[in-house]
């Protein structure tokens, strides 16, 4: 949510910052801006719109160092030129870019206005620029520190001082800040994707930390001034892995990457010798795992839905009561934390604020939590301290596809592990291992049916509303299908448990409202056929995602996947729905990689 990038060193900051903003644009894209110091003056350019719009308004010979730049996802104040970051103080000495929300911004604004400050924007961030300028202190570091002591809220912050161009000051509280270490130059960003072109050596700031970044290094401390020890991490993702390659959209590329991504999730983790999985990162002994009585999965959006699938897998294979809950709800309801419950936090980015807050709530109350995360070294991964990295590679499209599939696969590995410690037999373990091994090729076969799915999408694209229904493990598949469709194509889509249809939503079934039914060939197949009959009786068009074999009822469209083991079927059944959403969005002319109002990685409350 919002992207921050900064540079200090001998080179001209402008091209480095603009290129970094392109990498970060998936984090927010309603406005963008840049500030550099040159010849004792701050030079700034900013505008509503995308980074390409900013490039049009950056004047020729806009050069300098140090510099900071920002791509915005609006919280306070509509997207506009004047609300775009950086924000400056009245004397145009201090420039601030900020991710997060200043909760006492209104009170601070009133106070500053009382002191004669005239505000130029509606943002909470501008408060910080004036506040820092008003603080006493010899150095920029002291001023920022003093200002932050007056502020409540969340921040990932980078600050420039026209009169002190030897450093950039950055601070973190609830919104990520990472430092990139170069050769006599330093980089600052809200995530490493903006840095990997220049350096692989990074340091993550922790909440409550502030750092003075100079060309030759950095010094970090707490807001009270106590020095902090930092550990360097090496980023393994390459710059090229963030490119679209020959694809027109990141979403399509990431759908296509799923066979390899799932191979990476499984790599080195299958133990055919003992018909189980090997998950070193969970750092719990068999004895500790045996003591678990319950599992609770926490995540937001697609991560929560993958958690619903995961909870079902754990319940089926390990016979442990398991459930999933949106992390955003969990953290606010004063949850009971049980010592014999294993809490699992799911997050692609590892930065989602609500999921992080839920992890902190569990830990604060003495609970055990492990993470299922994609981004190595991310905040949630570090906060959990143990878990499973899904190794899906960078996901740049705002909507999740490959990370959903890989998270579900990671849950299958965990469920197998927990199951084999309990009552799951060696024969059952061997069956699941064979099923998991077959997944990458089966995924490839589903994706090969793209042309047929695109045909169905052109029919669906004309609708205004759609229902997705499924039973048992088909229900999370339906939920994810509906979420993908609505966020990427803006077609209003709702998911319902199939059995609930007649308890209300059936009232809305009509010839112009299609229903997509998740129809695996399992014990519930006849029940799902009855649901289809009920829809057809109201003249509702029906599309199904199902396995091979004849259907006992006529339907308006069929998407097929290979049969896996019953527990793993949902992983494959979800894939055609990703392609369906993509092609509906394409047919409707939507901005697929950057859906309106959304941003990857929601680092605000
Ligand atoms: C949906 C989507 C979002 C994310 C959610 C959690 O396509 O991408 O719903 O799943 O914002 O994000 P992470 O997994 O980064 O915590």
């Amino acid at each position: 949510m919002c992207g921050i990038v900064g540079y200090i060193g001998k080179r001209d900051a402008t091209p480095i910052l603009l290129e970094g903003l392109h990498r970060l644009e998936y984090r927010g894209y309603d406005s963008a801006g840049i500030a550099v110091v040159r010849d004792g003056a701050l030079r700034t350019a900013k505008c509503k719109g995308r980074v390409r719009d900013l490039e049009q308004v950056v004047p020729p010979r806009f050069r300098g160092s140090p510099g900071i730049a920002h791509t915005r996802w609006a919280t306070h104040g509509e997207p506009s030129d004047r609300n775009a970051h950086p924000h400056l103080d009245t004397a145009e000495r201090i420039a601030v870019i900020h991710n997060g929300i200043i909760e006492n911004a209104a009170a601070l604004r009133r106070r500053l206005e009382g002191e004669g400050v005239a505000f130029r924007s509606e943002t909470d961030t501008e408060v910080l620029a004036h506040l820092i300028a008003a603080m006493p202190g010899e150095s920029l570091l002291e001023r920022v520190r003093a200002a932050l002591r007056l502020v409540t809220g969340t921040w990932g912050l980078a600050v420039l001082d026209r009169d002190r161009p030897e450093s950039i000051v950055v601070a973190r509280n609830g919104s990520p800040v990472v430092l990139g270490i170069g050769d006599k130059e330093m980089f600052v960003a809200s995530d490493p994707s903006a840095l990997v072109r220049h350096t692989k050596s990074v340091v993550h700031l922790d909440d409550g930390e502030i750092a003075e970044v100079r060309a030759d290094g950095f010094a970090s401390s707490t807001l009270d001034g106590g020095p902090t020890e930092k550990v360097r991490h090496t980023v393994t993702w390459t710059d090229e892995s963030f490119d679209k390659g020959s694809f027109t959209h990141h979403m399509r590329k990431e759908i296509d990457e799923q066979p390899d991504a799932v191979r990476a999730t499984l790599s080195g983790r299958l133990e055919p010798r003992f018909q189980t999985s090997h998950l070193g990162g969970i750092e719990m002994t068999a004895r500790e795992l045996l003591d678990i009585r319950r599992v609770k999965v926490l995540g937001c959006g697609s991560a929560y839905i993958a958690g619903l699938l995961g909870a079902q897998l754990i319940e089926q294979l390990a016979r442990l009561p398991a459930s999933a809950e949106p992390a955003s709800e969990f953290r606010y309801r004063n949850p009971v934390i049980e010592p014999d419950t294993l809490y699992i936090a799911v997050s692609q980015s590892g930065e989602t604020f609500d999921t992080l807050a839920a992890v902190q709530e569990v830990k604060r109350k003495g609970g055990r939590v492990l993470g299922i995360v994609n981004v190595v070294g991310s905040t949630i991964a570090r906060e959990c301290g143990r878990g499973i990295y899904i190794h899906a590679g960078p996901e740049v499209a705002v909507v999740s596809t490959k990370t959903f599939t890989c998270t579900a696969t990671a849950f299958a590995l965990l469920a197998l592990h927990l199951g084999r410690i309990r009552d799951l037999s060696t024969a059952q373990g061997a069956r699941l291992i064979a099923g998991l091994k077959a997944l990458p090729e089966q995924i490839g076969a589903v994706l090969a049916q793209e042309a047929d799915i695109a045909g169905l999408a052109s029919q669906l694209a004309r609708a205004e509303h759609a229902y997705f229904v499924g039973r048992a493990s088909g229900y999370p598949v339906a939920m994810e299908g509906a979420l993908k469709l609505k966020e990427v194509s803006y077609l209003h889509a709702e998911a319902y448990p199939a059995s609930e249809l007649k308890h209300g939503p059936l009232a809305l079934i009509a010839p112009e409202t299609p229903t997509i039914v998740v129809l695996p060939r399992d014990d519930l197949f006849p029940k799902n056929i009855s649901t289809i009959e009920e829809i057809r009786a109201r003249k509702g068009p029906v599309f199904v995602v199902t396995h091979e074999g004849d259907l006992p009822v006529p339907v308006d469209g069929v998407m097929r996947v290979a049969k896996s083991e019953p527990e793993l079927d949902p992983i494959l059944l979800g894939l055609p729905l990703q392609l369906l959403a993509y092609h509906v969005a394409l047919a409707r002319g939507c901005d697929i990689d950057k859906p309106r109002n959304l941003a990857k990685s929601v680092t605000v409350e």
Side-chain angles (χ1 to χ4, degrees):
M1 195 124 281
C2 301
I4 280 180
V5 59
Y7 172 80
I8 184 161
K10 280 207 193 71
R11 290 194 273 166
D12 172 22
T14 308
I16 297 169
L17 298 178
L18 290 173
E19 184 262 328
L21 284 187
H22 277 294
R23 280 279 179 259
L24 291 174
E25 209 173 16
Y26 70 120
R27 284 188 157 251
Y29 33 84
D30 59 43
S31 41
I34 181 169
V36 295
V37 181
R38 186 165 189 208
D39 300 333
L42 267 178
R43 306 197 69 196
T44 60
K46 56 184 190 170
C47 67
K48 179 181 170 182
R50 301 282 166 92
V51 178
R52 59 172 183 264
D53 301 309
L54 175 67
E55 284 168 334
Q56 298 307 311
V57 302
V58 169
R61 290 187 294 283
F62 185 99
R63 298 168 63 83
S65 174
I68 54 177
H70 189 260
T71 172
R72 179 169 187 247
W73 183 88
T75 55
H76 279 58
E78 57 167 13
S80 66
D81 290 355
R82 65 202 188 95
N83 285 339
H85 300 207
H87 290 284
L88 310 185
D89 67 315
T90 311
E92 305 200 346
R93 172 179 171 180
I94 303 290
V96 178
I97 54 175
H98 164 229
N99 295 348
I101 296 177
I102 304 302
E103 285 163 10
N104 58 342
L108 291 169
R109 190 180 176 113
R110 274 196 302 277
R111 178 180 136 182
L112 288 159
E113 280 171 340
E115 291 165 10
V117 171
F119 277 78
R120 304 183 189 103
S121 78
E122 296 138 44
T123 64
D124 51 345
T125 302
E126 192 184 345
V127 166
L128 288 173
H130 295 295
L131 204 58
I132 293 166
M135 289 296 116
E138 272 304 294
S139 66
L140 179 62
L141 181 72
E142 283 169 44
R143 286 162 167 244
V144 177
R145 200 181 260 144
L148 289 179
R149 288 204 200 102
L150 303 177
V151 166
T152 54
T154 55
W155 56 82
L157 199 65
V159 188
L160 281 186
D161 181 345
R162 175 194 71 191
D163 298 344
R164 301 282 171 137
E166 62 279 0
S167 71
I168 301 175
V169 170
V170 294
R172 173 193 165 130
N173 191 41
S175 214
V177 174
V178 49
L179 311 182
I181 300 164
D183 181 14
K184 298 194 186 63
E185 56 184 3
M186 289 284 294
F187 306 84
V188 167
S190 46
D191 84 58
S193 62
L195 311 177
V196 288
R197 172 167 291 190
H198 307 287
T199 178
K200 293 279 168 30
S201 181
V202 300
V203 164
H204 297 269
L205 287 197
D206 288 308
D207 280 348
E209 271 185 317
I210 184 165
E212 186 175 40
V213 182
R214 295 167 177 268
D216 59 356
F218 71 97
S220 63
S221 53
T222 62
L223 282 189
D224 297 332
T228 52
E229 289 285 316
K230 302 308 295 174
V231 180
R232 283 191 194 198
H233 292 270
T234 304
V235 183
T236 51
W237 291 350
T238 62
D239 191 42
E240 297 72 48
S241 56
F242 291 89
D243 288 337
K244 281 202 289 259
S246 58
F247 292 90
T248 34
H249 297 98
H250 283 286
M251 180 184 180
R252 181 64 193 80
K253 175 182 175 238
E254 286 156 11
I255 289 174
D256 209 66
E257 285 172 343
Q258 290 180 104
D260 282 342
V262 166
R263 265 186 210 105
T265 306
L266 294 174
S267 175
R269 287 169 166 167
L270 294 175
E271 283 240 31
R273 196 166 145 228
F274 299 111
Q275 294 85 23
T276 186
S277 62
H278 171 73
L279 297 167
I282 61 176
E283 290 176 10
M284 288 174 78
T285 62
R287 185 69 215 212
E288 286 171 320
L289 291 170
L290 204 54
D291 286 343
I292 295 167
R293 291 280 158 267
R294 206 180 298 278
V295 174
K296 178 82 166 184
V297 188
L298 303 165
C300 297
S302 289
Y304 157 62
I305 299 172
L308 285 171
L309 277 180
Q312 293 199 8
L313 273 161
I314 290 168
E315 208 155 278
Q316 284 166 351
L317 297 179
R319 301 307 299 155
L320 271 169
S323 61
E325 183 175 341
S328 42
E329 288 295 310
F330 176 85
R331 57 174 290 225
Y332 284 120
R333 65 172 178 79
N334 191 18
V336 175
I337 302 297
E338 298 164 309
D340 50 5
T341 294
L342 176 65
Y343 295 86
I344 303 176
V346 180
S347 178
Q348 181 287 127
S349 61
E351 302 294 349
T352 299
F353 189 88
D354 285 321
T355 309
L356 176 64
V359 170
Q360 288 166 340
E361 178 76 358
V362 172
K363 282 179 67 181
R364 200 179 55 76
K365 291 179 167 172
R368 257 180 312 195
V369 58
L370 61 85
I372 298 186
V373 172
N374 189 33
V375 180
V376 175
S378 55
T379 309
I380 291 171
R382 286 181 293 127
E383 187 74 45
C384 291
R386 57 185 165 190
I388 307 172
Y389 280 123
I390 61 173
H391 299 308
E395 192 174 66
V396 178
V398 164
V399 297
S400 298
T401 52
K402 63 175 177 174
T403 57
F404 179 85
T405 305
C406 291
T407 301
T409 306
F411 268 116
L413 288 168
L414 180 63
L416 170 63
H417 193 72
L418 293 172
R420 288 288 294 119
I421 285 169
R422 292 179 169 74
D423 295 335
L424 197 73
S425 67
T426 51
Q428 296 284 14
R431 173 179 72 77
L432 285 153
I433 287 184
L436 285 165
K437 275 188 179 160
L439 277 181
E441 231 166 88
Q442 290 175 317
I443 293 173
V446 177
L447 302 184
Q449 299 166 40
E450 180 170 9
D452 296 342
I453 297 170
L456 298 184
S458 62
Q459 294 177 49
L460 195 64
R462 291 190 287 270
E464 280 310 311
H465 311 277
Y467 276 105
F468 284 71
V469 298
R471 277 187 163 76
S473 60
Y475 176 47
V477 175
M479 287 173 78
E480 178 62 5
L483 181 62
K484 283 300 85 101
L485 187 64
K486 77 178 96 176
E487 63 183 339
V488 79
S489 77
Y490 317 142
L491 196 157
H492 171 224
E494 294 298 331
Y496 256 88
S499 47
E500 283 286 302
L501 204 60
K502 56 184 167 300
H503 297 292
L506 207 52
L508 291 173
I509 296 296
E512 61 282 0
T513 304
T515 303
I516 293 88
V517 182
V518 182
L519 182 64
R521 289 211 174 247
D522 58 11
D523 301 351
L524 299 173
F525 186 78
K527 303 261 177 244
N528 282 322
I529 294 296
S530 304
T531 301
I532 293 175
E533 294 286 19
E534 286 164 13
I535 299 166
R536 280 176 37 78
R538 275 84 191 171
K539 302 208 170 2
V542 174
F543 298 80
V544 295
V545 52
T546 187
H547 294 121
E548 292 302 332
D550 292 337
L551 294 174
V553 282
V555 294
D556 300 274
V558 183
M559 295 162 274
R560 293 200 192 267
V561 304
K563 186 83 186 77
S564 177
E565 296 305 322
E567 300 87 343
L568 306 178
D569 276 336
I571 298 177
L572 295 173
L573 287 161
L575 300 166
L577 303 184
Q578 298 175 347
L579 282 171
L580 190 70
Y582 174 77
H583 281 284
V584 171
L586 206 59
R588 289 164 72 107
C590 299
D591 190 349
I592 291 180
D593 284 336
K594 297 187 178 72
R596 71 179 176 217
N597 304 340
L598 299 181
K600 191 106 184 140
S601 181
V602 184
T603 54
V604 291
E605 255 178 310

